[in-house]
Amino acid sequence: ASTLQLLLMIIFDFEYGFHIVMPFCAFVGLLAARTWARAKYGVTSLLSDFTIQKCECSSENDRAAVCKNVAALMRETQVVPPFTDDAGATAAFDELARNELPQKLSQAMGRHVLRYWQAVLAAGITRGPSWVDSLAGFQHGMAAREFLCITVSCWTDILFLYPVVVSLFEVSGCWFISWTGCKEYGWLSIVVLLCGSGMAAASHGIVWCADEAVHTDSHLAILIVTSVVLCIINFLMYSGPLCWTAAAKDNLHFLLDQESERQRGSGGGG
């Protein structure tokens, strides 16, 4: 009973429990991200082979009428010349869908599993209470400089550091998307270990710098510069110029194509 009580105390104590629960949550989150990525790029992969002839109709008797209406629409919108026959117009429609829909759908679904504001909200749950506590301390005699340093430290974590790490988690976790079973779990464990360790080291470094900045201007300058640099990285990562997700996207398409070819080969061999 005493051992069980000790384990429960460790798990539910914030200082220790946080470091136990968070890796588990990150692992589960990565599994969800991979499921989302497979679904997203699976849909775009299917659209790349789109043809209206393979579309399902609620009634097969309506297929001819639907194709005729699509052909008429292509001619009326001048995507094809007015004299194009129905077969040519529907073929042009297929090509248009294959070329345009995958990219448009990918943009509509977004680059990230978690949007920036969602990552900030998750970070606020963990670091926000520290800032609220310092706010109470400031109202009861804490020095203004110390409060400033703590504020910069907390909000750098919430607004900049955590979203960067979340994006890195997502992108690296979605590599090797064709892996399943032990290989997948092993890769995700490595991602959690490396990214989690990096986040913990960076967060503790910011906290240490904030503690030193209370007494020295040089550390305060370093703290502010770090915050600005992380802000720029966030802008680049979540706005698109720094395409962290582009590499993952290409990797996913490549691996999914490989997997499809392998399955077709297996089916043909059977």
Side-chain angles (χ1 to χ4, degrees), residues 2 4 21-22 68 71 77-78 81 87 107 115 119 123 125 127 137 157 183 185 191 204 208-209 222 243 262 269:
S2 59
L4 179 60
V21 174
M22 284 304 292
K68 189 174 183 66
T77 55
Q78 299 182 352
Q107 291 175 349
R115 309 292 175 107
I125 295 173
R127 290 290 280 138
D157 274 358
K183 290 171 68 176
Y185 298 148
V191 171
H204 282 83
W208 172 82
C209 191
I222 293 172
C243 294
R262 186 186 67 79

Side-chain angles (χ1 to χ4, degrees), residues 122-186:
I125 295 173
T126 59
R127 290 290 280 138
S130 297
W131 182 77
V132 173
D133 186 55
S134 68
L135 182 62
F138 178 66
Q139 293 175 342
H140 291 82
M142 178 187 290
R145 182 179 178 119
E146 182 179 0
F147 175 69
L148 172 63
C149 294
I150 294 174
T151 297
V152 173
S153 170
C154 288
W155 286 101
T156 296
D157 274 358
I158 294 171
L159 296 177
F160 309 132
L161 177 62
Y162 279 47
V164 166
V165 174
V166 166
S167 183
L168 290 175
F169 259 114
E170 174 194 338
V171 173
S172 55
C174 288
W175 287 344
F176 311 116
I177 201 71
S178 63
W179 287 2
T180 57
C182 294
K183 290 171 68 176
E184 179 178 36
Y185 298 148

Side-chain angles (χ1 to χ4, degrees), residues 8-29:
L8 291 174
M9 287 175 62
I10 292 174
I11 291 174
F12 289 102
D13 180 83
F14 180 79
E15 291 297 329
Y16 297 101
F18 179 81
H19 296 91
I20 295 173
V21 174
M22 284 304 292
F24 174 76
C25 293
F27 190 88
V28 173

Side-chain angles (χ1 to χ4, degrees), residues 113-268:
V113 178
L114 288 180
R115 309 292 175 107
Y116 172 76
W117 68 268
Q118 293 170 326
V120 169
L121 181 61
I125 295 173
T126 59
R127 290 290 280 138
S130 297
W131 182 77
V132 173
D133 186 55
S134 68
L135 182 62
F138 178 66
Q139 293 175 342
H140 291 82
M142 178 187 290
R145 182 179 178 119
E146 182 179 0
F147 175 69
L148 172 63
C149 294
I150 294 174
T151 297
V152 173
S153 170
C154 288
W155 286 101
T156 296
D157 274 358
I158 294 171
L159 296 177
F160 309 132
L161 177 62
Y162 279 47
V164 166
V165 174
V166 166
S167 183
L168 290 175
F169 259 114
E170 174 194 338
V171 173
S172 55
C174 288
W175 287 344
F176 311 116
I177 201 71
S178 63
W179 287 2
T180 57
C182 294
K183 290 171 68 176
E184 179 178 36
Y185 298 148
W187 171 243
L188 295 186
S189 298
I190 292 172
V191 171
V192 169
L193 178 63
L194 294 180
C195 291
S197 299
M199 181 182 72
S203 182
H204 282 83
I206 290 173
V207 171
W208 172 82
C209 191
D211 291 340
E212 295 297 319
V214 175
H215 309 290
T216 61
D217 292 339
S218 59
H219 285 88
L220 179 59
I222 293 172
L223 182 63
I224 293 173
V225 169
T226 301
S227 180
V228 171
V229 169
L230 286 172
C231 175
I232 294 172
I233 293 174
N234 267 280
F235 172 76
L236 295 175
M237 290 177 69
Y238 282 91
S239 297
L242 187 61
C243 294
W244 293 94
T245 52
K249 177 180 178 180
D250 295 339
N251 184 44
L252 283 166
H253 278 302
F254 174 74
L255 290 171
L256 284 168
D257 290 342
Q258 272 193 334
E259 186 69 14
S260 298
E261 289 177 6
R262 186 186 67 79
Q263 290 178 356
R264 283 196 294 268
S266 300

Side-chain angles (χ1 to χ4, degrees), residues 94-121:
D94 291 345
E95 184 178 359
L96 180 66
R98 287 192 293 267
N99 292 336
E100 297 292 335
L101 278 182
Q103 180 181 1
K104 299 298 183 184
L105 181 62
S106 181
Q107 291 175 349
M109 295 177 74
R111 285 191 179 93
H112 301 273
V113 178
L114 288 180
R115 309 292 175 107
Y116 172 76
W117 68 268
Q118 293 170 326
V120 169
L121 181 61

